[in-house]
Amino acid sequence: MKRTLLFICIFLQSLLAFSQTTPVYVWWNPAQSEFPVIEGQAWPKEVQHTYHRLPATAEKTVRKPVWDLSRQSAGLLIRFSASTDQIIVRYIVEGQHAMPHMPATGVSGVDLYAVNSDGAYLWCAGKYAFGDTIQYRFTNLQANDTYHTKGREYRLYLPLYNSVKWLEIGVPQGASFTPLPVRVDKPIVVYGTSIAQGACASRPGMAWTAILGRKLERPLINLGFSGNGRLEKEIIDLLPSIDAKLYVLDCLPNLVATVGISPDEIKQRILESVKTLRQKRPNTPILLVEHAGYTEGLINPERRNLYTTVNALQRQAFAQLKTEAIGQLYLLPLSEINLSLDAMVDGTHPSDLGMQQYAEGYEKSIRTILNEPVGIYTTTQPCPQSRDFKIYDWETRHREEIALAKTNPPRIIFLGNSITHYWGGQPQAPISRGTDSWNKVFSPLGTQNLGYGWDRIENVLWRVYHGELDGYEASQVIIMIGTNNLHLNSDKEIIEGLKWLVQAIKVRQPKAAILLLGILPRRQGEQRITGLNEGIAQASGELNVTYAEPGKGLVNTEGKIDESLFTDGLHPNEEGYRKLAESLKPYLKPVEQSGKRKR
């Protein structure tokens, strides 16, 4: 009896201890969100089910295999921010969990990536259990970044080859969790085959389309249909309804001879597809992609003939379209994809290695098409950031800047970091230290404040690549950026980054005068900044842009900052901003009476 009582006591104590350490989870269902959160959908308001890829009306027009495949969630992802050390994803799918040549983690699994405050990706390893309800448990996560305590952004990639019926994301009670809306950037649209859909990636984030989306930091719409990407009119006719940054047509692997479509028909489909897109979207680039081959093609002449034949047909069609003056049309050849010997699982579908090689070939081509090059220094590698959550949200400001430029196109744009951000003007900042001087000098000239707290050169480069200078014609662009790079980069790297930034601005605002400003002096950094500004001035001559150094009026006779003009040794106070405004007045483009605008 005593042993029984002792056992019961120990059991109850264990149960109590377990209940005290096991967290209670709060669950969120994306299907119940009040705003769009499923990224990768071209027709979010027209789908039959939350996780479908084609609009409901397409069921009556496309072939049944295409429709069935469109119900699979390839390319879809969900973004959210959270401050937590653990995340659980539970969901139900309709089909088989795995295939003979592709694991369950790719066919039916999910994949979680985090984004740190500097815009770098972090992969999260999850413990998974496949059953009627699939569960992924991500634990031991570092909840917050160095710069803030409000968590980090996460991106959850959905299954590549299965239909999601229901899904929830859970975090411990008390942890912060915020769903994020789909990004405002125009997407890259990929119409392709099983390779585009994701076969045979080991997990959803390793599909080449997902890798490319991370490399370019852009939304990507995956219209890959396994075995059924055939440049069919019913799909091509849907594409122009998407306001795309780029259309990619990668269907040749499903147009080889074994499919039973004649060479003449293949060539005709290529011609008609391009002409349909060009007629309805005259300015959107189109990228035709060659069949990347089979890894046994070097030893199997029959297989080699399959892809060389369709590639030859596409090159003929491409040449014909070019002679017909079809502009903004590009070709990605097999040689640029350059798959290695071990890049495929079964001789047809890429392994994770092959997916990386696909993505690299695509990135190189697309960056050239979109004029979005990257360099070897961090200052020449565009990326977003989230370093100032305590004061403002970087992505929200990006949305506001683009929306404001659409409704009230700026005449002058002022690019910068917190020094510009907290000066004044619109969009209104949470801190304004120089409102009077901004309103007096800049507002009458139609100036939009494109300063972001904590921005570095690479963050401004990202913003320029992602739409903040698009859709309007400015008279002048002012650049004052680089102080937040001082502790990370050499003077050479900072100057090189500014050169890349100026070139990117020239591409997007070719008629605007560019005013490049020297970095403002800061406490204990005056001597270095003096030398660095000499290099920036020299670079401005090489770039053929105007240079000014308004910070000279903020130092004393000893070359140190005048502390009476600063709040913290870096950010000017009201009087400091007034002095800056006065020194910049001679460099600002005046308003012509016929084109005067107010902001």
Side-chain angles (χ1 to χ4, degrees):
M1 184 67 178
K2 289 182 179 180
R3 288 183 178 180
T4 302
L5 289 173
L6 179 62
F7 174 79
I8 293 172
C9 289
I10 293 172
F11 175 77
L12 291 173
Q13 288 175 351
S14 300
L15 187 64
L16 178 62
F18 180 78
S19 65
Q20 289 174 342
T21 57
T22 302
V24 175
Y25 282 85
V26 177
W27 298 93
W28 173 69
N29 187 332
Q32 298 171 359
S33 174
E34 296 179 356
F35 53 87
V37 293
I38 312 297
E39 190 166 286
Q41 282 180 323
W43 304 274
K45 296 180 180 179
E46 303 172 45
V47 292
Q48 194 178 86
H49 186 275
T50 306
Y51 303 106
H52 286 185
R53 292 184 287 155
L54 289 181
T57 54
E59 184 175 11
K60 298 178 181 179
T61 59
V62 303
R63 291 184 298 110
K64 187 178 186 302
V66 175
W67 173 253
D68 290 343
L69 288 161
S70 77
R71 297 169 65 248
Q72 298 174 349
S73 55
L76 304 188
L77 66 87
I78 299 166
R79 301 189 313 131
F80 57 89
S81 63
S83 177
T84 178
D85 64 348
Q86 50 191 298
I87 297 169
I88 296 179
V89 183
R90 62 188 185 189
Y91 58 102
I92 296 174
V93 297
E94 292 183 1
Q96 295 294 318
H97 289 164
M99 296 189 291
H101 62 326
M102 187 172 177
T105 51
V107 173
S108 305
V110 295
D111 210 359
L112 187 66
Y113 284 75
V115 184
N116 73 10
S117 55
D118 288 332
Y121 283 94
L122 310 168
W123 181 67
C124 307
K127 294 186 181 298
Y128 45 83
F130 287 87
D132 292 339
T133 298
I134 302 172
Q135 179 173 284
Y136 270 69
R137 184 181 291 270
F138 303 91
T139 58
N140 298 318
L141 303 172
Q142 183 177 332
N144 300 299
D145 275 323
T146 306
Y147 292 93
H148 55 74
T149 58
K150 293 192 175 183
R152 63 176 81 247
E153 178 185 338
Y154 290 91
R155 298 183 186 179
L156 181 72
Y157 293 86
L158 301 189
L160 295 170
Y161 265 82
N162 225 321
S163 301
V164 176
K165 296 175 63 176
W166 168 88
L167 181 145
E168 284 187 334
I169 302 170
V171 297
Q173 192 173 48
S176 70
F177 181 92
T178 305
L180 298 176
V182 297
R183 289 173 287 178
V184 296
D185 297 274
K186 291 183 178 181
I188 292 172
V189 178
V190 177
Y191 176 26
T193 68
S194 56
I195 298 169
Q197 183 168 342
C200 287
S202 64
R203 47 188 174 83
M206 286 307 299
W208 72 257
T209 48
I211 298 170
L212 181 65
R214 293 194 297 274
K215 284 178 173 291
L216 297 176
E217 194 55 37
R218 286 192 177 278
L220 189 145
I221 293 171
N222 185 331
L223 296 178
F225 303 112
S226 187
N228 289 275
R230 301 179 183 177
L231 293 180
E232 292 174 301
K233 183 178 186 300
E234 294 79 6
I235 297 295
I236 293 295
D237 285 346
L238 286 171
L239 299 187
S241 65
I242 310 169
D243 187 10
K245 188 73 175 179
L246 169 72
Y247 295 112
V248 176
L249 302 181
D250 188 357
C251 292
L252 294 193
N254 286 165
L255 290 171
V256 293
T258 55
V259 178
I261 301 174
S262 71
D264 288 344
E265 174 65 15
I266 293 170
K267 183 176 178 181
Q268 192 61 29
R269 288 191 186 191
I270 297 169
L271 295 172
E272 291 180 358
S273 296
V274 171
K275 290 178 180 180
T276 296
L277 290 174
R278 183 52 68 240
Q279 180 183 10
K280 297 180 180 179
R281 290 288 181 178
N283 300 314
T284 306
I286 301 169
L287 177 61
L288 298 177
V289 183
E290 287 191 357
H291 193 314
Y294 307 116
T295 46
E296 84 274 31
L298 296 177
I299 197 171
N300 185 329
E302 289 185 7
R303 293 275 279 172
R304 182 167 64 249
N305 184 60
L306 290 176
Y307 64 82
T308 55
T309 298
V310 290
N311 285 345
L313 288 171
Q314 181 153 272
R315 285 193 293 272
Q316 293 169 19
F318 181 80
Q320 180 177 328
L321 290 164
K322 282 295 188 180
T323 61
E324 295 176 11
I326 301 291
Q328 288 278 70
L329 178 65
Y330 304 89
L331 180 70
L332 177 58
L334 172 154
S335 59
E336 291 297 318
I337 300 173
N338 195 28
L339 296 180
S340 63
L341 183 66
D342 299 320
M344 290 184 177
V345 171
D346 54 4
T348 299
H349 300 97
S351 61
D352 288 352
L353 172 62
M355 291 293 185
Q356 289 280 4
Q357 292 171 350
Y358 261 100
E360 289 166 3
Y362 265 102
E363 181 190 16
K364 181 179 178 181
S365 177
I366 291 174
R367 285 199 176 280
T368 300
I369 294 169
L370 300 183
N371 280 302
E372 296 180 3
V374 295
I376 60 174
Y377 304 126
T378 58
T379 54
T380 61
Q381 297 168 0
C383 66
Q385 59 101 341
S386 57
R387 289 184 283 268
D388 215 356
F389 268 3
K390 292 180 180 179
I391 299 177
Y392 82 106
D393 181 73
W394 194 88
E395 184 176 314
T396 298
R397 184 166 176 83
H398 176 60
R399 291 172 180 268
E400 291 173 347
E401 295 281 13
I402 289 177
L404 181 60
K406 285 182 179 179
T407 57
N408 192 5
R411 191 178 158 276
I412 296 177
I413 41 189
F414 201 144
L415 293 161
N417 48 44
S418 57
I419 297 170
T420 304
H421 187 175
Y422 304 141
W423 195 334
Q426 296 296 321
Q428 188 171 352
I431 300 171
S432 295
R433 297 190 176 107
T435 302
D436 289 346
S437 59
W438 184 280
N439 290 343
K440 180 180 179 181
V441 175
F442 295 103
S443 291
L445 299 178
T447 307
Q448 183 166 333
N449 185 332
L450 268 76
Y452 288 53
W454 277 98
D455 255 17
R456 300 172 187 154
I457 295 169
E458 57 266 31
N459 307 131
V460 180
L461 184 62
W462 187 96
R463 295 196 276 118
V464 170
Y465 282 0
H466 287 256
E468 290 191 4
L469 303 190
D470 297 344
Y472 59 91
E473 193 174 285
S475 296
Q476 187 174 32
V477 179
I478 306 170
I479 308 167
M480 187 169 68
I481 192 69
T483 194
N484 291 327
N485 292 91
L486 290 171
H487 67 295
L488 296 169
N489 300 104
S490 67
D491 290 2
K492 177 182 178 181
E493 291 168 346
I494 290 172
I495 292 169
E496 189 67 16
L498 290 172
K499 288 180 178 179
W500 280 63
L501 179 57
V502 169
Q503 295 291 7
I505 292 168
K506 285 183 173 181
V507 168
R508 289 153 182 84
Q509 291 286 342
K511 296 182 180 179
I514 296 177
L515 174 60
L516 179 60
L517 303 182
I519 296 174
L520 296 187
R522 58 188 294 168
R523 186 187 296 148
Q524 299 180 347
E526 297 93 341
Q527 183 174 354
R528 179 187 175 187
I529 290 171
T530 297
L532 175 56
N533 282 343
E534 291 175 358
I536 296 173
Q538 181 178 340
S540 70
E542 298 170 8
L543 295 164
N544 193 28
V545 299
T546 303
Y547 175 78
E549 200 169 333
K552 286 184 175 180
L554 305 182
V555 296
N556 56 30
T557 55
E558 298 177 350
K560 302 294 183 180
I561 64 167
D562 183 341
E563 295 283 355
S564 69
L565 301 176
F566 290 83
T567 62
D568 55 6
L570 171 63
H571 298 90
N573 57 22
E574 185 174 357
E575 178 60 18
Y577 276 121
R578 188 193 66 78
K579 282 184 169 289
L580 285 175
E582 287 299 316
S583 66
L584 285 175
K585 282 171 67 174
Y587 296 94
L588 302 178
K589 293 271 287 186
V591 177
E592 299 177 6
Q593 286 303 119
S594 60
K596 188 173 182 180
R597 286 178 285 183
K598 296 181 179 180
R599 290 186 68 80

